[in-house]
Amino acid sequence: MDPTLLSVIMVVVLLGAILLRAPIGLAMGLVGAAGYAMLSSTAGLQAYIASAWPDRFLSYELAIVPLFILMGNLATRTGISAALFSASNAWIGHFRGGLAMASVAGCAMFGAISGSSIATASTMARVALPEMRKHKYSDALASGCLAAGGTLGILIPPSIVLIIYALLTEQNIVKLFLAATLPGLLAIVGFMITIAIYVRIFPEEGPSQQPASLKTRLKSLGQVWHIIGIFVVVLGGIYGGFFTPAEGASVGVILTALAGLLARELSLEAVITSLIDTAAASAMIFVIIFGADLFNVAMALSRMPTALADWFIAADVAPMVVLLCIVVFYLVMGCVMDSLSMILLTVPVFFPTVMSLDFGLMPEQQAIWFGILTLVVVEVGMITPPVGMNLFIISAIAKDIPTRAIFRGTIPFIFSELTRIVLLISFPWLSYWLVSVWN
């Protein structure tokens, strides 16, 4: 069979399996294995699997993933989320819509510890949602700001998805973390502005409250100083070259555990549960990674990514048109796939295509720009109906809030995200400026 035709069949079969709700890691692995055997041989497939398992899973860089997951799990069980929301609320909660803004701020700070969108959304929702409903916030605004704020977990460094992108494209993890900082700040500001506009149009949905006293505000800072310290030590140490990302993740785990023990919030049972949850999440991610690895190697054997890049060059399609097509594809696929699966499935195909096009950037700048842009677009999928992951997280926690209200609440934030995507496409330097300064 023609390799290009086989690659198209592989993609169609995989998408069909995904629509039928087959486990994504298993689907990619089986389709990839079948394609590899047909393009090479069964013996070649066996030899590849025998060498790929140790090469992939004994990778030093991949150790970062379970370490940051463990750090997030420990943070979830140490009362950090409540302290972050309390501090944010003390300083900005008195504004109209202030509790929603405080929730976004809390999500941003917790995301800097957890690196996970799902963990950020679920943990902060348990703390902030009851408070907002108590102060008569509408279900739409309360659930929408938490679903959107949760997406900051995969953008604010450290980010599990960004680590996977770095491994797939052989980019520097530290530089990608640094590059995500400015777009992350833009996301926070964009969400705050969105809330401010929303409550100006619908003032009854986000009423103001009495401002906290100066004493309360200063006391709230005293409750989160250790969290800020963990963030500064981990990322500052990584950026400063004092430790590698894996070493920084290890330091983060130790500091988070110490903070929980000193605050008497971390029990032995919580530690054991965190370890079990980390093992389960890591195993799921590793299965997806291995399945994607098999699928992507089979696609590489078919030379489809190279052929796709050559076709765009030969057709003389404007680079920006190609990029916009990729962005639209991600926005559509984000409605039916989770962020990690999308990154693993598409980056090995799209990355060579984008890198072959001339955007007037240096190769490293272009790789970083595409990585951050991809992350932001994938982030939108987490709050896009019908199957945005964060929407289901909020719905599971607040079972009495109608799904329709949650969907309505995310719409303004989706427009905020689309605005940020336009900015990142129009001004690529927003993605790599900090890296240029750091270098």
Side-chain angles (χ1 to χ4, degrees), residues 288-327:
I288 294 174
I289 288 174
F290 188 71
D293 192 53
L294 269 175
F295 183 81
N296 292 327
V297 168
M299 294 296 284
L301 284 175
S302 73
R303 296 187 55 80
M304 197 269 266
T306 305
L308 185 64
D310 291 343
W311 182 85
F312 279 119
I313 293 172
D316 198 25
V317 179
M320 194 56 68
V321 173
V322 177
L323 184 66
L324 290 175
C325 289
I326 292 174
V327 168

Side-chain angles (χ1 to χ4, degrees), residues 171-191:
Q171 298 301 309
N172 186 297
I173 294 174
V174 179
K175 291 182 178 180
L176 283 168
F177 277 2
L178 195 61
T181 303
L182 188 53
L185 293 174
L186 284 175
I188 297 169
V189 172
F191 290 162

Side-chain angles (χ1 to χ4, degrees), residues 73-330:
N73 281 328
L74 290 172
T76 301
R77 292 169 174 83
T78 55
I80 284 178
S81 56
L84 290 172
F85 177 72
S86 177
S88 302
N89 184 29
W91 286 92
I92 61 177
H94 59 283
F95 294 113
R96 187 175 293 279
L99 281 177
M101 295 178 186
S103 300
V104 170
C107 286
M109 289 185 283
F110 188 83
I113 301 293
S114 73
S116 165
S117 173
I118 293 174
T120 301
S122 61
T123 304
M124 291 304 302
R126 288 185 174 90
V127 174
L129 196 56
E131 194 70 17
M132 282 191 279
R133 300 186 79 181
K134 186 175 82 172
H135 286 83
K136 309 300 181 185
Y137 274 60
S138 70
D139 289 343
L141 178 58
S143 58
C145 74
L146 286 167
T151 63
L152 297 172
I154 65 169
L155 182 60
I156 303 290
S159 164
I160 302 299
V161 176
L162 208 54
I163 292 170
I164 299 300
Y165 175 85
L167 295 176
L168 287 173
T169 59
E170 299 181 347
Q171 298 301 309
N172 186 297
I173 294 174
V174 179
K175 291 182 178 180
L176 283 168
F177 277 2
L178 195 61
T181 303
L182 188 53
L185 293 174
L186 284 175
I188 297 169
V189 172
F191 290 162
M192 296 287 191
I193 293 174
T194 299
I195 293 168
I197 294 173
Y198 187 92
V199 295
R200 182 172 289 274
I201 299 173
F202 307 105
E204 71 285 355
E205 296 200 22
S208 58
Q209 58 178 334
Q210 290 295 320
S213 65
L214 180 60
K215 180 180 178 181
T216 302
R217 292 180 180 183
L218 295 177
K219 184 180 178 181
S220 70
L221 292 180
Q223 296 173 342
V224 298
W225 66 267
H226 59 291
I227 305 170
I228 298 172
I230 293 171
F231 178 77
V232 171
V233 169
V234 172
L235 290 184
I238 292 174
Y239 294 155
F242 295 103
F243 13 86
T244 65
E247 292 167 347
S250 302
V251 170
V253 168
I254 294 171
L255 291 179
T256 304
L258 282 176
L261 291 172
L262 291 174
R264 297 183 179 180
E265 295 279 356
L266 192 62
S267 64
L268 178 60
E269 181 183 357
V271 172
I272 293 173
T273 304
S274 296
L275 290 171
I276 293 172
D277 289 349
T278 299
S282 300
M284 179 193 69
I285 290 173
F286 286 174
V287 167
I288 294 174
I289 288 174
F290 188 71
D293 192 53
L294 269 175
F295 183 81
N296 292 327
V297 168
M299 294 296 284
L301 284 175
S302 73
R303 296 187 55 80
M304 197 269 266
T306 305
L308 185 64
D310 291 343
W311 182 85
F312 279 119
I313 293 172
D316 198 25
V317 179
M320 194 56 68
V321 173
V322 177
L323 184 66
L324 290 175
C325 289
I326 292 174
V327 168
V328 171
F329 175 84
Y330 275 131

Side-chain angles (χ1 to χ4, degrees), residues 407-429:
F407 286 175
R408 182 170 69 85
T410 60
I411 292 174
F413 297 98
I414 292 174
F415 280 110
S416 174
E417 292 282 59
L418 293 176
T419 301
R420 185 157 53 107
I421 291 171
V422 171
L423 287 174
L424 290 173
I425 292 175
S426 303
F427 307 102
W429 60 267

